[in-house]
Amino acid sequence: MTFKPASLLIALLAVAAVPAFAQNVAVVNGKAIPTSRVDAVVKQVVAQGQQPDSPQLRELIKKDLIGREVMMQEAEKQGFGKDAAVKTQIENARQAIIVNALVGDYMKKNPVSDADIKAEYDRFVAQNGDKEYHVRHIMMATEAEANDVIAKIKGGAKFEELAKASKDTGSAANGGDLDWAVPSSFPPAFSAAFVGLQKGQVTEKPVQTPNGFHVIKVDDIRAAKLPTLEEVKPQVAEALAQKKLQAYQEELVKKAKVQ
């Protein structure tokens, strides 16, 4: 079978047009919207678990992209693309996208391991100890005032009544009650003073912190209810990842010439 020259030209043009059309989902005022943009949005939507890939989803995305392209062209026509504030926002967005790509690549090459997570969890447990304390305190402005409170307690006065004069107004009305907590929840000097006490005991001497002078009573002691490794694993992994990124950034800053 033979083609006439005109027919051959038409056939070749038709064949050549198919791939070009397939690469775009639409052309708006001469500006093409490539199929790859739809694919990228579909991939993101599916990855987020919003809905599965389907012809209906792709049609919705196509309409959205056409709408955005029309708005973009109008914005450019009105000169918003040349606005200084808009240019600044575009540059900020550009930096964020590129930096996020760098961060993703860095974390892929330097992942937080299960061993790292376990070691961090073990440090957390060691720091918090295996006991929780239910403590009360009375905070006074001076050491002399705190000593006077201790003397009154030894004389038979009730701790809860004396706590009404505490400078810590948040706990004064509740008899100085600080509820259950692990020692690491308090300033080191404060916790060091009560961890050696038995249930019902009061500190023999005032405990000084930047806030004042404290008289501390241990109401009760129990085994600490710390979360398991599996319960906090995502949070620990995220915290370690942030530490890695912070260290990486600091390393880059040190190498940079900052004037």
Side-chain angles (χ1 to χ4, degrees):
M1 184 177 183
T2 59
F3 286 99
K4 294 180 180 180
S7 299
L8 178 60
L9 178 60
I10 292 172
L12 288 173
L13 288 175
V15 172
V18 172
F21 176 79
Q23 290 176 0
N24 302 318
V25 292
V27 179
V28 182
N29 295 325
K31 179 69 178 293
I33 300 177
T35 303
S36 58
R37 285 182 64 187
V38 175
D39 293 338
V41 177
V42 169
K43 184 178 180 181
Q44 183 178 5
V45 170
V46 172
Q48 293 173 348
Q50 296 179 19
Q51 53 182 300
D53 189 355
S54 68
Q56 292 80 6
L57 174 62
R58 288 179 174 272
E59 184 61 26
L60 286 173
I61 293 172
K62 172 185 172 181
K63 288 181 179 179
D64 180 64
L65 291 176
I66 291 173
R68 276 198 262 174
E69 181 58 38
V70 170
M71 295 292 285
M72 179 63 180
Q73 290 181 19
E74 182 61 25
E76 290 284 5
K77 186 187 300 182
Q78 294 189 30
F80 288 104
K82 299 178 181 178
D83 183 83
V86 172
K87 285 184 175 180
T88 298
Q89 293 179 55
I90 291 173
E91 179 57 24
N92 289 338
R94 175 181 172 276
Q95 285 188 7
I97 292 168
I98 295 174
V99 169
N100 284 340
L102 171 68
V103 167
D105 181 69
Y106 177 79
M107 291 311 302
K108 183 178 181 180
K109 295 175 180 176
N110 301 274
V112 175
S113 67
D114 286 342
D116 293 334
I117 296 173
K118 178 64 165 58
E120 184 67 16
Y121 176 77
D122 289 343
R123 279 192 289 271
F124 165 77
V125 172
Q127 181 182 2
N128 285 277
D130 59 354
K131 293 180 182 179
E132 285 184 318
Y133 296 79
H134 187 181
V135 299
R136 297 175 184 270
H137 83 135
I138 301 171
M139 186 174 74
M140 307 305 289
T142 67
E143 186 175 11
E145 289 175 318
N147 276 319
D148 185 51
V149 169
I150 292 173
K152 288 179 180 178
I153 292 172
K154 289 181 177 180
K158 289 187 176 181
F159 190 99
E160 290 76 4
E161 286 297 318
L162 294 174
K164 292 179 180 179
S166 175
K167 301 300 180 183
D168 178 8
T169 55
S171 66
N174 298 320
D177 192 359
L178 296 177
D179 208 348
W180 287 98
V182 293
S184 61
S185 300
F186 301 98
F190 191 97
S191 58
F194 72 72
V195 292
L197 299 179
Q198 299 298 316
K199 179 178 177 180
Q201 286 188 322
V202 177
T203 49
E204 290 285 334
K205 297 179 180 180
V207 180
Q208 185 178 10
T209 71
N211 297 318
F213 292 85
H214 308 260
V215 179
I216 309 170
K217 178 185 177 183
V218 174
D219 266 5
D220 205 353
I221 304 171
R222 70 185 182 189
K225 297 179 180 179
L226 299 177
T228 65
L229 173 58
E230 289 305 314
E231 289 174 333
V232 297
K233 189 173 182 178
Q235 295 91 323
V236 174
E238 176 63 22
L240 290 176
Q242 290 303 318
K243 283 184 180 180
K244 276 181 175 285
L245 290 173
Q246 183 64 34
Y248 178 51
Q249 183 184 59
E250 290 175 357
E251 180 184 347
L252 292 176
V253 171
K254 287 180 181 178
K255 294 179 180 178
K257 183 179 181 181
V258 182
Q259 298 176 315

